């Protein structure tokens, strides 16, 4: 099963490689990893997407918790949560494709944020599956470049992942 | 800044190498790199260490705090930690620290080893024998890489150790400077934690953290990498050692959950065929006394891993021998048949479980461990208890007494009857009439000569297994060997650490002619510090353990397991200024050993020529369960052969 693990991590040099290293050393699967600072300067928030059966994911969480730099950990997939990923996609937009791509962008509620005679850059935010669907929908051969942030997520409701 | 890595579906290796590449070149501004991460380099990264160092005036510390340089702080912090021995080897990056050490030679003793691997094993042996933290000091680059084997050895056996490594000055980190390696990167997978100290202001706290992390919870080695400019003797700041320390992200368990403990005791009282299975955790947490009391109160059999030997007296009737690959028949059969397994400070290692599908098929499993990630890692357990082993076992005793319950005596008597039948098979028999010295006989003789009162370190191979099988330890911290990593070369330097900790105790190292050569240079250290260690070399002329596997599983094709061109060990020992002796006949062995141990103030190297063809039995071969052991040949089988 796919799990989204959200962590508060000490903003220390080496913390990121400790976490990535854990996955390679123990042979765990890692689909994506995003990191950024939080409102509290000493902490970073990390969102990690992994796949595995319950036993493996349980071990992954224990091993992550064991790292001295990991302050708090939450498996978002265990509760109601919101997931968002951002994508920037550069499309070949010349001739008749131009109109078609514009329509597609509107259907997906994406934004065209850069335009040249021959190209669009489209920005799209949503659950990872929505991003996949957009890529699927673009006609064959029109994609120049895809940049995705990897998912981030947050639990629904009033409670937060804080110290 | 947003740090993003999306590398599905490949496992973590890509991310790891990408990130380590980024972090290794720490002086590259992160903005220039293709992956940005605030984590990869903290907020201090842009400011050089020097900028922060020159202004200690604004420090909020008490006026009486002495002004110390980074080098002096490193030494003073060790003194404040109560460190008595530092095992080390000097070099450019640690010269400031050595100079500070020179000036405090009264307060802290430095032991000069002959190879950094020796320093780590010596500190490790010291830690295993005393329960205190072992300490090493090595230089950058090759000093640090030489220490890696010893750090990994300590890591796999959870030994508390602090390793201070020198590093090139902060301004040149990442420039491939002379003797620069990314020590924090290289050691990351084989430490409990590690630090790179970039600012003098952080040094004392970091060293305090290192000692705290190394010794608390599940212990382990911690590396503190200190760039040379941070130890500059001309830059001084007020020093106060931060005694009270808390780390918000690190809170090891202090007590076990009482509800779970009650459940465990209930299960024990309901059991018909129970057995205790204890590991290194019982020794690390000094749980021998409450453990012995609990096992005796219940009257259950107890087995132990290689790492746990001595936590419960091995000469006691309730002890059924070591379990696992070369464990006793009775211990392994009892594991197979038990209906209640009480695992204490053990981690279900593959050398212990055999084929996991066959492991303890009938048992409810109780598992006590301070490390939650050890629980249900290899084997799913029904009653997990996270907590320090000693306190949990003490609580179990309390609950047992309070309940007034007694195990089912009829069932227990039948269980013991079954175990005694298994014992009757005599699974460790060997040919006692051999004209050659049998390695088993050598260990039995060692036991006799030392009256069982010995600290015994070991290298890795058949001799290690024979020692574990034939030398019954009645006390914890007496049997000192590299179980997890299986590091050849461990024994001799480890014995140095033990002998320094206990100058008046009998300390011996049992070894093989292949293993001993891996750290043989430490004989010079033994000479310099007059360490009266006895090396008992079971010289079979082979990498015996390798030869045994080749005999069993490769149709006796002995590829490179014959140890050719051996030195004359007697002359070698003498050339280092020690006593060397050689024994070749069984009837001379005891007298020779007595003579060796009678030399109380001399290092003696006893080269014991043993039967080159002996194998370690019993054995669980790969892919087999506990009930499928290979037993040693019987007398008549031997005659046929
Ligand atoms: C550093 C290292 N290299 C290789 C091995 C693999 N290995 C395990 S036992 C062994 C042979 C040890 O031979 P010896 O020291 O003579 O002991 P014996 O088995 O003969 O008693 C080897 C090579 C190891 N454990 N450690
Ligand atoms: Mg040998």
């Amino acid at each position: 099963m796919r799990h989204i693990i959200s962590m508060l991590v000490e903003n220390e040099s080496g913390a990121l490689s400790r976490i990535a290293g854990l996955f390679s050393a123990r042979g765990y699967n890692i689909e994506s990893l995003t990191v950024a600072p939080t409102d509290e300067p000493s902490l970073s928030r990390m969102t990690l997407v992994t796949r595995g059966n319950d036993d493996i994911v349980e071990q992954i969480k224990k091993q992550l918790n064991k790292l001295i730099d990991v302050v708090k950990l939450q498996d978002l997939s265990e509760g109601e949560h919101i997931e968002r990923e951002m994508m920037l996609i550069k499309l070949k937009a010349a001739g008749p494709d131009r109109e078609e791509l514009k329509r597609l962008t509107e259907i997906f509620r994406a934004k065209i944020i850069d335009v040249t005679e021959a190209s669009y850059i489209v920005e799209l935010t949503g659950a990872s599956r929505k991003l996949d669907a957009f890529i699927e929908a673009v006609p064959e051969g029109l994609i120049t470049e895809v940049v995705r942030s990897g998912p981030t997520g947050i639990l629904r409701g009033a409670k937060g992942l804080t110290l | 800044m947003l740090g993003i890595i999306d590398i599905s579906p490949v496992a973590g290796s890509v991310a790891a190498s990408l990130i380590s590449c980024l972090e290794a070149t720490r002086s590259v501004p992160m903005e220039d790199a293709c992956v940005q991460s605030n984590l990869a380099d903290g907020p201090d990264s842009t400011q050089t260490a020097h900028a922060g160092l020159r202004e200690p005036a604004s420090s909020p510390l008490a006026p009486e705090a002495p002004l110390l340089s980074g080098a002096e702080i490193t030494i003073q912090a060790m003194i404040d930690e109560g460190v008595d021995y530092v095992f080390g080897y000097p070099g450019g990056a640690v010269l400031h620290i050595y100079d500070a050490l020179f000036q405090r030679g009264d307060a802290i003793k430095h032991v000069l080893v002959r190879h950094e691997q020796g320093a780590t094993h010596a500190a490790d042996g010291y830690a295993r024998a005393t329960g205190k933290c072992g300490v090493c000091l090595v230089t950058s680059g090759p000093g640090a890489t030489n220490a890696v084997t010893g750090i990994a050895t300590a890591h796999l056996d959870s030994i508390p150790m602090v390793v201070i490594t020198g590093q090139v000055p902060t301004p040149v980190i990442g420039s491939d400077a002379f003797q620069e390696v990314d020590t924090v990167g290289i050691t990351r997978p084989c430490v409990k934690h590690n630090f790179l100290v970039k600012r003098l202001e952080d040094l004392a706290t970091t060293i305090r953290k290192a000692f705290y992390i190394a010794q608390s919870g599940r212990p382990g080695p911690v590396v503190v990498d200190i760039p040379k400019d941070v130890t500059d003797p001309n830059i001084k700041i007020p020093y106060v050692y931060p005694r009270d320390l808390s780390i918000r992200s690190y809170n090891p368990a202090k007590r076990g959950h009482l509800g779970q403990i009650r459940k465990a005791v209930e299960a024990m009282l309901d059991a018909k065929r129970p057995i205790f299975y204890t590991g290194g955790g019982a020794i690390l947490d000094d749980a021998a006394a409450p453990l012995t009391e609990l096992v005796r109160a219940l009257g259950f059999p107890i087995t132990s891993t290689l790492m746990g030997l001595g936590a419960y007296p091995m000469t006691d009737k309730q002890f059924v021998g070591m379990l696992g690959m070369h464990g006793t028949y009775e211990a392994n059969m009892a594991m197979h048949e038990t209906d209640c397994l009480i695992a204490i400070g053990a981690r279900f290692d593959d050398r212990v479980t055999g084929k996991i599908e066959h492991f303890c098929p009938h048992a409810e499993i109780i598992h006590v461990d301070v490390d939650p990630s050890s629980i249900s890692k290899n084997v799913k357990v029904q009653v997990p208890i996270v907590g320090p082993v000693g306190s949990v076992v003490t609580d179990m005793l309390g609950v047992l007494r309070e309940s007034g319950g007694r195990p089912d005596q009829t069932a227990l008597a039948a269980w013991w009857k079954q175990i005694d039948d298994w014992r009757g098979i005599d699974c460790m028999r060997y040919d006692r009439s051999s004209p050659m010295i049998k390695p088993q006989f050598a260990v039995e003789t060692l036991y006799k000569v030392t009256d069982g009162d010995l600290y015994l370190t070991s290298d890795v191979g058949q001799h290690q297994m024979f020692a574990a099988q034939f030398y019954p330890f009645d006390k914890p911290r007496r049997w000192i060997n590299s179980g997890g990593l299986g590091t050849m070369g461990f024994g001799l330097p480890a014995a140095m650490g033990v002998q320094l900790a206990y100058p008046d105790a009998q300390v011996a190292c049992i070894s093989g002619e292949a293993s001993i050569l891996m750290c043989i240079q430490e004989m010079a250290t033994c000479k310099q510090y007059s360490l009266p260690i006895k090396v008992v070399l079971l010289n079979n002329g082979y990498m015996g353990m390798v030869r045994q596997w080749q005999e069993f599983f490769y149709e006796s094709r002995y590829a490179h397991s014959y140890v050719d061109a051996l030195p004359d060990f007697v002359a070698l020992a003498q050339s280092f200024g020690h006593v060397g002796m050689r024994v070749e006949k069984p009837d001379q062995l005891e007298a020779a050993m007595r003579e060796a141990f009678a030399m109380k103030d001399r290092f003696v190297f006893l080269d014991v020529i043993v039967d080159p063809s002996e194998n370690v039995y019993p054995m669980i071969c790969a892919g087999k369960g506990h009930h499928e052991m290979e037993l040693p040949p019987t007398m008549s089988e031997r005659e046929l052969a």
Side-chain angles (χ1 to χ4, degrees):
Chain A
M1 203 187 116
R2 179 173 181 264
H3 286 254
I4 306 180
I5 295 171
S6 198
M7 283 175 280
L8 287 176
V9 177
E10 294 288 355
N11 193 357
E12 297 266 358
S13 127
L16 181 58
S17 38
R18 247 183 264 282
I19 288 163
L22 176 85
F23 277 74
S24 62
R26 294 193 182 263
Y28 302 142
N29 175 359
I30 183 168
E31 276 194 14
S32 73
L33 182 61
T34 75
V35 205
T38 63
D39 54 326
E40 153 70 50
S42 66
L43 288 174
S44 289
R45 174 98 172 214
M46 193 175 283
T47 311
L48 194 151
V49 179
T50 183
R51 252 173 224 283
N53 65 35
D54 289 354
D55 289 348
I56 291 174
V57 172
E58 190 57 35
Q59 253 309 300
I60 291 176
K61 287 189 266 179
K62 282 177 174 177
Q63 293 292 348
L64 285 168
N65 258 321
K66 194 159 118 179
L67 295 177
I68 311 280
D69 295 325
V70 174
V71 184
K72 240 179 182 176
L73 180 150
Q74 203 170 48
D75 185 348
L76 297 185
S77 326
E78 278 176 353
E80 283 280 311
H81 66 279
I82 293 165
E83 176 191 335
R84 287 287 181 275
E85 183 175 0
M86 203 214 2
M87 170 166 73
L88 300 176
I89 181 165
K90 191 176 283 183
L91 303 169
K92 296 191 184 83
D97 295 330
R98 227 171 150 78
E99 243 342 88
E100 164 70 11
L101 289 172
K102 190 151 173 280
R103 248 198 327 275
L104 200 62
T105 306
E106 275 157 18
I107 293 169
F108 276 84
R109 299 212 182 116
K111 275 187 274 177
I112 297 174
I113 55 172
D114 182 74
V115 182
T116 70
E117 267 162 37
S119 73
Y120 284 153
I121 295 177
V122 174
E123 175 193 326
L124 176 56
T125 303
S128 304
R129 263 174 300 149
K130 180 175 169 185
L131 274 50
D132 296 341
F134 184 84
I135 293 174
E136 278 292 300
V138 174
E140 191 74 40
L142 297 189
I143 298 177
T144 306
E145 200 179 346
V146 175
V147 186
R148 293 173 67 155
S149 65
T152 58
I154 195 163
L155 272 193
R156 284 187 185 277
K159 264 180 77 185
L161 180 62
T162 49
L163 286 188
Chain B
M1 291 211 297
L2 193 65
I4 297 151
I5 295 168
D6 191 331
I7 48 151
S8 67
V10 188
S13 58
V14 180
S17 50
L18 183 59
I19 291 159
S20 37
C21 152
L22 278 172
E23 290 191 357
T25 48
R26 282 158 296 222
S27 61
V28 176
M30 294 312 287
E31 284 74 15
D32 293 352
C34 55
V35 173
Q36 297 184 347
S37 165
N38 199 38
L39 269 176
D41 219 339
D44 309 335
S45 59
T46 46
Q47 130 198 19
T48 68
H50 277 305
L53 296 187
R54 308 234 178 231
E55 289 149 307
S58 62
S59 167
L61 295 170
E64 65 269 24
L67 285 178
L68 297 185
S69 72
E72 290 165 332
I73 288 174
T74 308
I75 300 303
Q76 190 56 47
M78 287 188 207
I79 295 169
D80 288 341
E81 278 295 332
V83 173
D84 45 9
Y85 286 105
V86 181
F87 301 88
Y89 208 95
V94 286
L95 280 183
H96 296 329
I97 301 176
Y98 267 84
D99 195 48
L101 186 64
F102 186 82
Q103 296 173 31
R104 295 303 309 273
D106 54 321
I108 198 160
K109 285 171 261 176
H110 177 270
V111 179
L112 178 70
V113 293
R114 297 303 188 270
H115 185 294
E116 288 85 353
Q117 182 183 353
T120 51
H121 293 331
D124 177 322
Y126 172 92
R128 291 183 203 234
T130 60
K132 296 199 274 181
C133 192
V135 182
C136 306
L137 173 58
V138 301
T139 193
S140 67
T145 54
N146 272 352
V148 168
T149 300
I151 295 169
T153 303
H155 183 55
L156 274 197
D157 289 342
S158 306
I159 304 304
M161 191 154 102
V162 169
V163 182
I164 307 244
T165 54
Q167 184 53 277
V168 300
T170 47
V172 297
I173 286 181
S175 70
D176 299 326
F178 178 63
Q179 296 195 326
E180 177 180 8
V181 293
D182 176 9
T183 302
V184 163
I186 287 178
T187 58
R188 186 174 300 121
C190 59
V191 292
K192 183 169 175 188
H193 198 60
N194 59 19
F195 297 96
L196 171 66
V197 186
K198 285 191 264 181
R199 305 186 322 150
L200 177 56
E201 289 82 346
D202 298 335
L203 184 58
T205 314
T206 306
I207 295 177
R208 175 76 197 97
K209 278 186 187 168
F211 276 92
Y212 170 58
I213 291 171
Q215 294 173 281
S216 53
R218 179 178 181 174
V222 179
V223 168
V224 183
D225 198 26
I226 312 180
K228 191 169 183 181
D229 54 327
V230 174
T231 60
D232 187 336
N234 299 315
I235 305 170
K236 303 201 176 203
I237 59 168
Y239 168 83
V240 172
Y241 200 54
R243 239 158 245 298
D244 300 317
L245 179 84
S246 75
I247 303 176
R248 63 180 171 185
S249 56
Y250 176 68
N251 299 295
K254 298 247 157 31
R255 288 289 290 273
H257 187 275
L258 207 57
Q260 289 292 92
I261 292 173
R262 287 213 180 88
K263 230 161 126 188
V265 171
E266 252 166 55
M268 291 183 216
L269 291 175
D270 285 344
K272 305 261 181 272
R273 300 183 307 279
I275 186 166
F276 278 90
Y277 146 52
T278 60
I283 292 186
L284 292 170
D285 199 41
D286 289 318
L291 174 72
T292 306
E293 218 180 320
L294 180 67
V295 174
R296 291 211 167 122
L298 289 162
F300 292 176
I302 172 167
T303 180
S304 164
T305 68
L306 180 68
M307 297 313 298
L309 298 178
Y312 185 89
M314 290 173 74
T315 54
D316 189 88
K317 181 183 156 302
Q318 280 171 251
F319 188 72
V320 297
M322 180 169 79
L323 84 166
M325 181 174 277
H326 293 299
T328 64
Y329 184 71
E330 47 273 29
N332 285 330
M333 286 305 287
M335 289 293 285
H336 190 71
E337 295 299 330
T338 182
D339 65 348
C340 177
L341 179 68
I342 308 137
I344 306 228
R347 60 184 177 91
F348 300 80
D349 173 88
D350 55 281
R351 293 280 130 141
V352 159
T353 59
K355 192 164 173 83
I356 216 94
E357 290 79 20
H358 297 314
F359 181 76
C360 291
H362 316 291
E364 173 168 24
I365 303 177
I366 298 160
H367 187 188
V368 183
D369 206 293
V370 73
D371 175 7
S373 73
S374 272
I375 292 178
S376 292
K377 181 176 68 176
N378 300 338
V379 171
K380 251 208 138 67
V381 307
Q382 286 72 43
V383 189
I385 304 174
V386 177
V389 167
S391 103
V392 172
V393 172
T394 306
D395 286 345
M396 282 176 167
L397 257 174
V399 170
L400 178 69
R401 297 234 161 94
E402 214 174 89
S403 77
R406 269 188 93 204
D408 178 342
Q409 296 301 304
T410 328
L412 202 53
W415 180 225
W416 273 114
K417 161 90 184 45
Q418 169 70 79
I419 290 171
D420 286 337
D421 285 351
W422 288 326
R423 271 180 172 155
I425 284 176
D426 189 15
C427 67
M428 293 193 319
R429 58 184 177 250
Y430 68 91
D431 182 3
R432 288 171 189 276
S433 57
S434 166
M436 276 178 283
I437 298 176
K438 287 285 182 179
Q440 300 95 324
F441 175 70
V443 177
E444 286 179 333
T445 308
L446 179 65
Y447 180 72
K448 192 169 160 199
V449 166
T450 54
D451 282 328
D453 182 17
L454 180 69
Y455 287 86
L456 183 59
T457 71
S458 177
D459 271 307
V460 175
Q462 290 184 324
H463 61 273
Q464 176 190 26
M465 292 302 125
F466 288 130
Q469 292 178 330
F470 289 88
Y471 198 111
F473 297 89
D474 280 345
K475 291 183 192 155
R477 301 195 178 280
R478 293 301 187 109
W479 166 239
I480 288 167
N481 81 126
S482 164
L485 197 68
T487 309
M488 289 169 70
F490 174 80
L492 177 57
M496 304 190 314
V498 180
Q499 188 79 77
L500 284 160
Y502 300 116
D504 300 325
Q506 296 193 110
V507 179
C509 163
I510 194 158
S511 188
E513 73 298 326
S515 292
I516 196 76
L517 285 176
M518 289 213 177
C519 276
I520 195 74
Q521 74 286 347
E522 298 306 331
M523 279 210 284
T525 313
C526 295
K527 182 68 191 169
Q528 181 172 346
Y529 298 92
S530 305
L531 303 178
I533 294 161
K534 310 294 179 274
V535 174
V536 179
L537 190 79
L538 302 188
N539 188 340
N540 53 11
Y542 278 98
M543 298 172 194
M545 190 53 93
V546 175
R547 189 202 55 72
Q548 175 170 347
W549 281 59
Q550 290 170 334
E551 179 186 331
F552 287 8
F553 311 120
Y554 299 88
E555 297 169 315
S556 298
R557 291 185 297 277
Y558 297 132
H560 303 280
S561 56
Y562 180 69
V563 189
D564 211 342
L566 281 176
D568 173 345
F569 285 108
V570 172
L572 184 64
Q574 286 166 349
S575 78
F576 278 95
H578 298 309
V579 179
M581 296 165 68
R582 180 169 298 119
V583 203
E584 300 182 57
K585 294 272 169 309
D587 57 356
Q588 297 164 351
L589 183 60
E590 185 178 329
M593 271 193 194
R594 288 201 186 281
E595 193 186 335
F597 279 92
M599 288 183 252
K600 297 241 175 273
D601 53 357
R602 295 302 300 271
F603 179 106
V604 183
F605 194 113
L606 194 58
D607 184 16
V608 184
I609 310 300
V610 299
D611 185 347
S613 64
E614 190 56 278
N615 289 323
V616 183
Y617 285 109
M619 179 167 182
I620 303 175
C621 297
K624 301 282 183 171
H626 280 150
H627 58 306
E628 301 169 302
M629 299 204 83
E630 299 283 333
L631 291 170
T634 59
M635 190 73 96
S636 48
E637 282 167 342
R638 273 200 301 267
E639 272 159 16
L640 278 176

